[in-house]
């Protein structure tokens, strides 16, 4: 595995990190056997950085990693987790949550402890209650080795935070569609100039840049003499930046692990050709024209008090425009979000504008307003009538089909 050295502390970090936010699941919970295999396979192939956080998988991600990262396995990796900043009201809260996380992770120390989802407002509040004093005390006691932050705000706020403390590391969202969003390229280079290790999240923009892609995007990638998957292209672009220490990928399948390891081993800084970089520009133009809502599917907005599946609402809406499949998208919206083929109604029309999701969204999307757009366009007039007919006609047919299928 390609290693990239952090100048400040000398740590040699694998170019690819394992993100434990999107582990494989079964019946709504982490599929422990499948997830353990993915983590162990990654470590066996040289991945030595594992990233998690207090809320991932409903709080189960840290506990799962604590179970499987023991003894020699724990010594092979740098473990990163994050202070749940939204729960912190006073100094004692920071002490409490760190102890909880150490217990869940079954470890005496955390290699990289980041303040989660930091922005200008939350940063000012944390400073007032002594966040730096707490972090330095925890570091002096050996409970954490390196201090950092994950970031979701604008580049000016990012620079202010970088300049406010002698950070060891930061975690930013970065991919070829987000060069000027949040910290962006400007923030990446700025942090690097301050000798701060820069870790990258959302290199595939929540999967938008991988898997099935719009036809025009596929044609552009097809111009290259070297054939690569969309995910390969996306990871390659991020790893091409010499300022990047490690790209954290949420790998939920064995094929993701294999492909990502292959790319991470191949791509050295500044290795992309001019012709390849031109292809990225063309692809970016297509996505910017087609994509209506800049959602990565991170799920921070969930759960919705009204039961709306916000990420899926936006995913289906984007799918309609990215793939020019209005009829299919309408059926998906009716069937999956209307509750015909699911456990209940979770569609955009249930939103009452309470605004709880606004504070949680890293992309700063006006979620209630966007849900209104989705509801109007995907549900439209007579949506309740469509649901009634669908449940009366489609659901029995679907259930009968599933019953027959299970016999074979």
């Amino acid at each position: 595995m390609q290693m990239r050295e952090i100048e400040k502390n000398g740590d040699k970090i694998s170019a690819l990190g394992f993100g434990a936010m999107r582990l494989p699941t079964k019946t709504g919970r982490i599929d422990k056997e499948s997830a353990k295999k993915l983590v162990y396979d990654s470590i066996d192939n040289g991945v030595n950085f594992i990233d998690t956080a207090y809320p991932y998988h409903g709080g189960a991600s840290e506990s799962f990693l604590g179970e499987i990262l023991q003894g020699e396995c724990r010594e092979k990796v740098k473990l990163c987790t994050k202070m749940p900043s939204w729960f912190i009201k006073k100094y004692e809260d920071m002490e409490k949550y760190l102890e909880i996380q150490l217990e869940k992770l079954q470890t005496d120390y955390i290699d990289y402890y980041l303040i989660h989802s930091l922005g200008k407002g939350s940063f000012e509040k944390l400073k007032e209650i002594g966040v730096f004093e707490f972090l330095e005390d925890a570091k002096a006691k050996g409970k954490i080795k390196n201090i950092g932050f994950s970031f979701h705000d604008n580049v000016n706020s990012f620079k202010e935070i970088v300049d406010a403390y002698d950070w060891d590391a930061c975690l930013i969202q970065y991919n070829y569609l987000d060069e000027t969003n949040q910290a962006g390229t400007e923030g990446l280079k700025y942090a690097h100039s301050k000798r701060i290790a820069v870790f990258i999240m959302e290199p595939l923009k929540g999967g938008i840049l991988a898997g099935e892609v719009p036809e025009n995007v596929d044609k552009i990638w097809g111009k290259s003499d070297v054939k690569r998957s969309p995910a390969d292209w996306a990871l390659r672009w991020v790893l091409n930046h010499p300022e990047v220490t490690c790209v954290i990928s949420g790998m939920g399948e064995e094929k993701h692990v294999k492909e990502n390891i292959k790319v991470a081993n191949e791509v050295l800084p500044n290795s992309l050709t001019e012709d390849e970089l031109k292809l990225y520009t063309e692809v970016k133009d297509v996505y910017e024209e087609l994509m209506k809502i800049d959602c990565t599917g991170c799920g921070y907005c969930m759960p919705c008090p009204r039961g709306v599946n916000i990420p899926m609402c936006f995913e289906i809406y984007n799918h309609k425009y990215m793939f020019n499949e209005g009829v299919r998208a309408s059926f998906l919206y009716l069937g999956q979000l209307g509750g015909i083929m699911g456990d209940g109604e979770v569609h955009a029309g249930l939103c009452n504008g309470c605004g709880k999701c606004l504070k949680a969204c890293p992309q700063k999307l006006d979620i209630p307003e966007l849900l209104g757009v989705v509801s109007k366009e995907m549900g439209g007039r007579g949506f309740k009538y469509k649901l009634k007919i669908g449940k009366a006609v489609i659901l029995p047919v679907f259930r009968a089909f599933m019953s027959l299928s299970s016999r074979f």
Side-chain angles (χ1 to χ4, degrees), residues 104-365:
K104 289 170 68 179
L105 290 164
Q106 298 185 40
T107 186
D108 296 327
Y109 65 94
I110 295 166
D111 297 282
Y112 286 80
Y113 195 57
L114 314 182
I115 306 173
H116 202 165
S117 194
L118 205 55
K120 185 176 179 63
S122 58
F123 184 51
E124 293 301 324
K125 292 177 182 178
L126 288 169
K127 282 197 298 183
E128 289 176 5
I129 61 174
V131 67
F132 291 143
E133 291 81 359
F134 163 74
L135 291 170
E136 288 171 0
D137 180 63
K139 190 172 184 178
K141 292 176 178 176
K143 294 182 178 182
I144 59 178
K145 302 295 185 182
N146 297 281
I147 297 170
F149 65 97
S150 70
F151 180 80
H152 292 292
D153 206 329
N154 60 60
V155 67
N156 291 330
S157 296
F158 180 77
K159 288 182 177 180
E160 289 179 17
I161 292 171
V162 165
D163 291 340
Y165 186 72
D166 185 22
W167 304 98
D168 299 306
C170 66
L171 174 62
I172 65 172
Q173 177 174 314
Y174 196 55
N175 54 71
Y176 64 78
L177 293 188
D178 285 327
E179 287 187 88
T180 58
N181 293 339
Q182 298 192 26
T185 302
E186 184 179 348
L188 169 69
K189 292 180 179 295
Y190 190 75
H192 181 73
S193 73
K194 302 287 184 176
R195 300 174 67 240
I196 297 174
V198 184
F199 295 86
I200 303 300
M201 59 178 149
E202 300 291 0
L204 306 181
K205 203 171 177 67
I208 290 173
L209 305 181
E212 185 183 12
V213 298
E215 183 179 353
N216 287 346
V217 169
D218 200 39
K219 287 180 180 178
I220 294 169
W221 292 140
K223 294 179 184 180
S224 172
D225 293 333
V226 181
K227 303 310 173 187
R228 300 173 178 136
S229 71
D232 184 321
W233 281 106
L235 284 172
R236 199 168 288 268
W237 184 89
V238 181
L239 288 164
N240 187 61
H241 292 76
E243 300 87 357
V244 168
T245 301
C246 173
V247 177
I248 297 170
S249 179
M251 297 175 281
E253 298 179 28
E254 187 176 348
K255 63 180 181 180
H256 298 160
V257 173
K258 290 181 178 178
E259 180 176 36
N260 291 358
I261 287 172
K262 175 179 178 292
V263 177
N265 280 327
E266 288 179 359
V267 185
L268 298 175
N270 297 318
S271 60
L272 288 173
T273 68
E274 287 298 318
D275 287 340
E276 288 173 327
L277 291 172
K278 288 177 182 177
L279 295 181
Y280 285 103
T281 301
E282 292 182 42
V283 167
K284 183 177 179 180
D285 289 342
V286 173
Y287 273 117
E288 288 182 345
E289 182 179 349
L290 294 177
M291 198 162 59
K292 301 298 180 182
I293 300 176
D294 191 24
C295 172
T296 67
C298 69
Y300 282 18
C301 56
M302 299 291 282
C304 165
R306 295 283 293 172
V308 179
N309 188 326
I310 299 169
M312 187 175 287
C313 285
F314 293 161
E315 179 184 347
I316 292 175
Y317 186 69
N318 276 333
H319 189 96
K320 173 183 176 180
Y321 287 96
M322 289 170 63
F323 300 99
N324 193 27
E325 292 185 343
V327 174
R328 182 167 180 259
S330 295
F331 272 108
L332 283 172
Y333 186 82
L334 184 69
Q336 294 187 10
L337 300 180
I340 294 175
M341 292 180 287
D343 296 326
E345 295 183 28
V346 292
H347 57 84
L350 298 173
C351 174
N352 66 354
C354 73
K356 181 182 178 182
C357 51
L358 291 173
K359 295 180 181 179
C361 178
Q363 314 306 321
K364 309 301 179 186
L365 299 176

